[in-house]
Amino acid sequence: MKKQLYIWALLLTAICQNSCAQVITAVDSMVVVPTKSKPFNYKQFILPVTLMTYSIIGLESESIKSINSGLREEITEHIDKKITIDDFSQYAPALTVYALNNLGIKGQHNLRDRSIILATSYLLMTSVVLPLKNISHIERPDGSSYNSFPSGHTATAFVGAEFLWQEYKDVSVWYGISGYIVAAGTGAFRIYNNRHWLTDVTMGAGIGILSTKIAYWTFPYINRMFQRKNSQNTGMISPFYNGKQLGIGMILNTK
């Protein structure tokens, strides 16, 4: 079963890369392209694909499994009590984008456009995380369930971190860096709280980053589906997943 998962996950990564290239090519060929769209850069794949590849290899690698076990044993020996801040910090980077805008610090996109991008990111992330949890059937470190791989909290946090980076990196890189620090902290607390293995966290991080990057690359195409001439009201329904609950949020923009 693990060998089948290993092969399936590698194929998923390859298909994702190929699909992204095809989508971007289609977007570039459109007559109308938003002025804020930027050229596709394959180098941006390096970090998320590296994280995902490490995690996938870790499903079969005894050396990586020993790292998981050693880290868990080291942490559990020094844990006094659990800290559940990760249930809230996973949303902090994404919410920061809206908070900064409300403070008058403008990002790359307006409310409508950024909400479409964020919703697309969450949709892509959830469509990968949920099936992988069911297919991998990896037991959590605390033995509570068999849906450990990958970490949904971490994926959610890194979706927001990349979202914050993309929106505000041209204003100040420190906004994006702070978002990634919070996301990394969320993943660390998932390990600290004995809810995930290291490879669960790295896989969640890779999926989260890649999901948001794809959302930005494909936004010019997706935006065409949301354009409504002479419309004064816009809305967006955004799915979310925090590791236990799956739900939706709604954002309305009335002019």
Side-chain angles (χ1 to χ4, degrees):
M1 178 64 184
K2 289 185 177 180
K3 289 184 177 180
Q4 293 177 343
L5 172 64
Y6 180 77
I7 296 173
W8 180 89
L10 288 177
L11 287 174
L12 175 64
T13 303
I15 292 171
C16 183
Q17 292 178 343
N18 186 53
S19 298
C20 289
Q22 292 178 351
V23 170
I24 296 302
T25 301
V27 170
D28 290 340
S29 66
M30 292 179 183
V31 176
V32 180
V33 179
T35 56
K36 291 184 179 180
S37 63
K38 295 183 178 181
F40 175 75
N41 185 358
Y42 286 97
K43 292 181 179 180
Q44 296 184 59
F45 272 119
I46 295 176
L47 176 59
V49 170
T50 298
L51 291 170
M52 294 169 68
T53 301
Y54 170 83
S55 305
I56 293 169
I57 293 174
L59 295 175
E60 293 291 335
S61 171
E62 294 301 326
S63 61
I64 295 179
K65 288 180 181 179
S66 66
I67 293 175
N68 282 344
S69 301
L71 181 60
R72 173 179 178 267
E73 292 175 2
E74 182 68 23
I75 291 175
T76 52
E77 287 179 1
H78 300 88
I79 287 181
D80 295 324
K81 62 179 181 179
K82 293 184 178 181
I83 303 175
T84 58
I85 190 175
D86 44 303
D87 288 334
F88 306 98
S89 63
Q90 61 178 321
Y91 304 113
L95 292 176
T96 299
V97 173
Y98 293 92
L100 288 172
N101 187 75
N102 287 336
L103 292 174
I105 305 175
K106 303 298 182 182
Q108 184 179 1
H109 295 89
N110 59 33
L111 175 62
R112 171 188 174 277
D113 292 351
R114 85 169 72 98
S115 297
I116 292 174
I117 292 171
L118 182 60
T120 304
S121 302
Y122 279 136
L123 182 62
L124 290 170
M125 180 269 291
T126 304
S127 67
V128 175
V129 168
L130 290 182
L132 276 180
K133 280 182 172 292
N134 293 327
I135 294 172
S136 61
H137 201 63
I138 302 296
E139 185 178 14
R140 290 182 183 271
D142 61 3
S144 61
S145 60
Y146 285 84
N147 62 348
S148 187
F149 183 87
S151 169
H153 280 65
T154 307
T156 299
F158 276 89
V159 161
E162 180 65 18
F163 180 53
L164 178 59
W165 170 261
Q166 293 290 342
E167 286 297 313
Y168 284 98
K169 63 183 178 180
D170 294 332
V171 177
S172 173
V173 294
W174 290 107
Y175 290 125
I177 291 174
S178 63
Y180 266 93
I181 291 175
V182 171
T186 300
F189 275 114
R190 296 307 287 165
I191 299 174
Y192 175 85
N193 289 327
N194 206 27
R195 295 292 291 165
H196 283 289
W197 306 101
L198 175 61
T199 46
D200 301 338
V201 169
T202 53
M203 187 66 175
I207 292 172
I209 295 170
L210 187 59
S211 295
T212 303
K213 287 185 180 296
I214 292 174
Y216 273 91
W217 293 330
T218 59
F219 173 68
Y221 171 75
I222 296 174
N223 187 40
R224 292 169 63 90
M225 297 186 295
F226 284 89
Q227 288 178 343
R228 296 292 185 271
K229 294 182 179 180
N230 301 322
S231 175
Q232 296 299 313
N233 299 323
T234 59
M236 173 56 53
I237 296 177
S238 173
F240 70 87
Y241 177 71
N242 64 8
K244 290 183 178 180
Q245 297 87 22
L246 178 65
I248 58 173
M250 183 172 66
I251 301 173
L252 293 176
N253 179 27
T254 58
K255 298 181 180 180

